[in-house]
Amino acid sequence: MSADEDLPPGWVRVASRSKPGAYYYAHPATKRTQPDHPGRKRSRQPAVVDIEAAEERKEASKARRKAQEEAKRAAEKTKRAAEEAKRRAWAEAEAEAAAREESVRQARVAKMALVKATKDADTSGVAGSDEEEPKISGEDLKTWKEAEECREREEAEAEVKRKEEEERRLQEEERKRKEEEDAERKRLEKEEQKEEKRRQKQEALAAIAEKAERQAAEAAEERRKLQEELQKVREKMQNPDATAEMSSSTSTETKKKKKEKKRKKKEEKKQKKEKKEKTAQLQKSSSSS
């Protein structure tokens, strides 16, 4: 079948003057022209594009979810590392404190041994020669005690400061970790909200596209029916014999209907007249009796 034979009524195929070998289609009655064949449905490339765009959005959503999961795993890893560092710091602090306590204990033991040795030397009465002097005098022992007490106080204060600084450092690390977790949670919530809005927008656009497609299909169906009716009218106009035959058959049927209607009316009048006559006869016979 050629391109001219399957054209809808009223359409013609015209050769293009500006592009040799190309054609377009015209409807002289409405002065409408178009490059596509009027009797063929257009390809639904936009729907394919929409499907491809949906696939791309789906892949992008998968990539975002994967990135979110990786960020979550990284945050958990950082949290575990911070907890491990905190545990190691506590263990090191406890070891240092134990070592310091052990050194203090040993110093105290040494001091007590020295004091005891000094007392034993004073009470033994053993004296050396006039040239020999005591190894440790009472003044030296007092000075040494004061120095030991000062050292112990300084070590205790330093330990308190160290513990306070360690506690502050741990609190600061905990605060930063919580801030990072809150920031990551808010970021994920924003991403989810954006994704939800994007999904709702896509659903709305899909619904609009579906509605437009349905309306276009309905409009095309109406145009097709209208074209069929116009084609029938043209065929009737092109075949006057069939039109005359149709009109004559229509008039014949109309006449038959009128005759049938008149006959029914006559029968009804006749029946009414007979009924009246019977009623009059009955009244006459009853009066004569």
Side-chain angles (χ1 to χ4, degrees), residues 16-274:
S16 176
R17 296 179 182 177
S18 58
K19 297 179 180 179
Y23 295 90
Y24 66 92
Y25 300 90
H27 193 273
T30 59
K31 296 182 180 180
R32 180 182 173 186
T33 59
Q34 64 184 42
D36 298 326
H37 194 286
R40 297 173 187 168
K41 293 184 178 179
R42 295 183 181 179
S43 62
R44 300 179 64 183
Q45 187 64 23
V48 176
V49 174
D50 291 341
I51 293 171
E52 292 176 354
E55 290 295 331
E56 291 177 358
R57 289 192 294 269
K58 189 175 179 181
E59 292 296 330
S61 178
K62 286 182 180 179
R64 281 194 299 273
R65 284 198 296 270
K66 186 177 180 181
Q68 290 174 2
E69 290 175 358
E70 290 178 354
K72 188 176 180 180
R73 286 195 294 270
E76 291 177 354
K77 187 176 180 180
T78 305
K79 182 180 177 181
R80 288 195 297 270
E83 291 176 353
E84 183 65 20
K86 182 178 178 181
R87 187 184 62 77
R88 286 197 301 269
W90 275 109
E92 291 174 359
E94 289 176 356
E96 289 177 2
R100 197 174 291 108
E101 289 177 359
E102 181 65 20
S103 64
V104 171
R105 187 185 66 78
Q106 291 177 1
R108 286 177 181 174
V109 171
K111 182 178 73 174
M112 291 174 65
L114 182 60
V115 171
K116 185 177 180 181
T118 304
K119 286 182 179 180
D120 292 342
D122 291 339
T123 57
S124 64
V126 179
S129 61
D130 295 339
E131 292 81 8
E132 291 180 355
E133 294 181 357
K135 294 180 180 180
I136 300 174
S137 63
E139 188 67 25
D140 292 337
L141 183 60
K142 184 179 179 181
T143 304
W144 181 80
K145 287 181 179 179
E146 291 176 354
E148 284 295 317
E149 290 175 357
C150 182
R151 185 181 65 78
E152 289 177 358
R153 284 195 302 272
E154 288 176 355
E155 287 181 354
E157 291 175 357
E159 181 66 18
V160 171
K161 288 181 180 179
R162 188 191 65 77
K163 288 184 177 180
E164 290 177 352
E165 290 177 357
E166 183 67 19
E167 186 67 23
R168 283 196 297 271
R169 185 181 66 80
L170 293 175
Q171 290 177 357
E172 183 68 18
E173 289 179 356
E174 185 69 16
R175 184 185 63 80
K176 288 181 178 179
R177 185 182 63 79
K178 288 183 178 180
E179 288 179 354
E180 290 176 356
E181 289 179 354
D182 293 339
E184 181 66 17
R185 180 176 53 80
K186 290 179 180 179
R187 187 185 67 79
L188 292 175
E189 288 177 355
K190 287 182 180 179
E191 289 290 334
E192 289 177 358
Q193 290 175 359
K194 287 181 181 179
E195 183 66 22
E196 182 65 20
K197 288 181 179 179
R198 191 180 295 109
R199 185 184 62 79
Q200 292 177 356
K201 187 177 180 180
Q202 290 174 0
E203 290 179 354
L205 290 174
I208 292 170
E210 185 179 356
K211 184 178 179 181
E213 187 176 353
R214 187 171 61 253
Q215 291 176 351
E218 292 175 355
E221 184 65 20
E222 290 179 358
R223 285 195 300 270
R224 186 185 64 78
K225 290 180 180 179
L226 182 60
Q227 288 177 358
E228 289 178 355
E229 292 177 359
L230 290 172
Q231 183 66 22
K232 289 179 181 179
V233 171
R234 289 193 186 98
E235 289 176 355
K236 290 177 182 178
M237 293 176 67
Q238 291 174 1
N239 193 357
D241 296 335
T243 306
E245 184 179 352
M246 185 180 295
S247 61
S248 63
S249 61
T250 306
S251 61
T252 305
E253 289 177 359
T254 306
K255 289 178 181 179
K256 286 181 179 179
K257 288 180 180 179
K258 287 181 179 180
K259 286 181 180 180
E260 184 67 23
K261 194 173 182 181
K262 287 181 180 180
R263 187 183 62 78
K264 287 181 179 180
K265 285 183 178 180
K266 286 181 180 181
E267 288 180 354
E268 288 176 358
K269 288 181 180 180
K270 187 177 180 181
Q271 289 175 359
K272 287 180 181 179
K273 187 176 180 181
E274 289 176 353

Side-chain angles (χ1 to χ4, degrees), residues 4 11 30 164 166 278 286:
D4 293 335
W11 287 88
T30 59
E164 290 177 352
E166 183 67 19
K278 287 180 181 179
S286 62

